[in-house]
């Protein structure tokens, strides 16, 4: 078994939909970034690359100055990254730090989508949300961040 950790943060304020965990969340500005800026899938991608013991991270795989990845669907980037992750994914767990919008109503859709992208049962995808109690740039609604861990079982 091998564990990996990932973290990502993007600033809020883009004039496009907010996408988290591969799901469009209505009623909020989008995240600013070269791809669709889905910090949940980005953190999970880095957790999996770490668990795999590669010398890669998401920035090395998909440089943010590559026009090919402009506005890219991060679900496709994650699927591509999975080519570097041998063995079986046991589970992933993610913690989203966001002051707003309220994400609870979207938890089921996000878990389902993340599970679908990874080819996992939904029970293998943990997803929690917390605010920063108004503190710091996340608490002020200027950014959304995500921490993630992933566990993989190496092939025999
Ligand atoms: Mg990112």
């Amino acid at each position: 078994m091998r564990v990996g950790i990932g973290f990502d943060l993007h600033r809020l304020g883009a004039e496009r939909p907010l996408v988290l965990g591969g799901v469009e969340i209505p009623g909020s500005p989008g995240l600013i970034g070269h791809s669709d800026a889905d910090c949940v899938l980005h953190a999970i991608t880095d957790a999996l690359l770490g668990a795999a013991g590669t010398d890669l991270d998401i920035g090395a795989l998909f440089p943010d100055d590559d026009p090919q990845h402009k506005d890219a669907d991060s679900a496709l980037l994650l699927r591509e990254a999975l080519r570097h992750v041998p063995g079986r994914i046991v589970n992933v767990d993610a913690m989203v730090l966001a002051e707003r919008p309220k994400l609870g109503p979207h938890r089921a859709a996000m878990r389902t989508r993340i599970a679908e992208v990874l080819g996992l049962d939904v029970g293998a995808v943990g997803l929690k949300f917390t605010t920063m109690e108004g503190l710091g740039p996340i608490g002020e609604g200027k950014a959304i961040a995500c921490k993630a861990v992933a566990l993989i079982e190496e092939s025999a």
Side-chain angles (χ1 to χ4, degrees), residues 12-79:
L12 274 163
E15 288 182 16
R16 59 174 175 188
L18 172 63
V19 181
L20 290 173
V23 173
E24 273 193 26
I25 313 284
S28 170
L31 291 167
I32 298 168
H34 186 61
S35 67
D36 65 8
D38 185 334
C39 62
V40 177
L41 293 188
H42 292 183
I44 290 172
T45 301
D46 268 343
L48 286 163
L49 289 169
T54 67
D55 60 355
L56 295 167
D57 61 24
I58 191 168
L61 268 184
F62 309 110
D64 65 7
D65 56 1
D66 184 342
Q68 198 186 324
H69 305 128
K70 177 137 179 51
D71 300 321
D73 177 350
S74 294
L76 297 180
L77 303 184
L78 175 47
R79 283 229 176 91

Side-chain angles (χ1 to χ4, degrees), residues 97-99 131-143:
L97 292 73
E99 205 70 15
T131 71
M132 295 296 285
E133 298 284 336
L135 297 174
I138 296 171
E140 290 161 9
K142 294 177 180 164

Side-chain angles (χ1 to χ4, degrees), residues 101-112:
K102 285 278 174 228
L103 296 175
H106 305 285
R107 188 195 318 268
M110 291 166 70
R111 286 180 76 209
T112 299

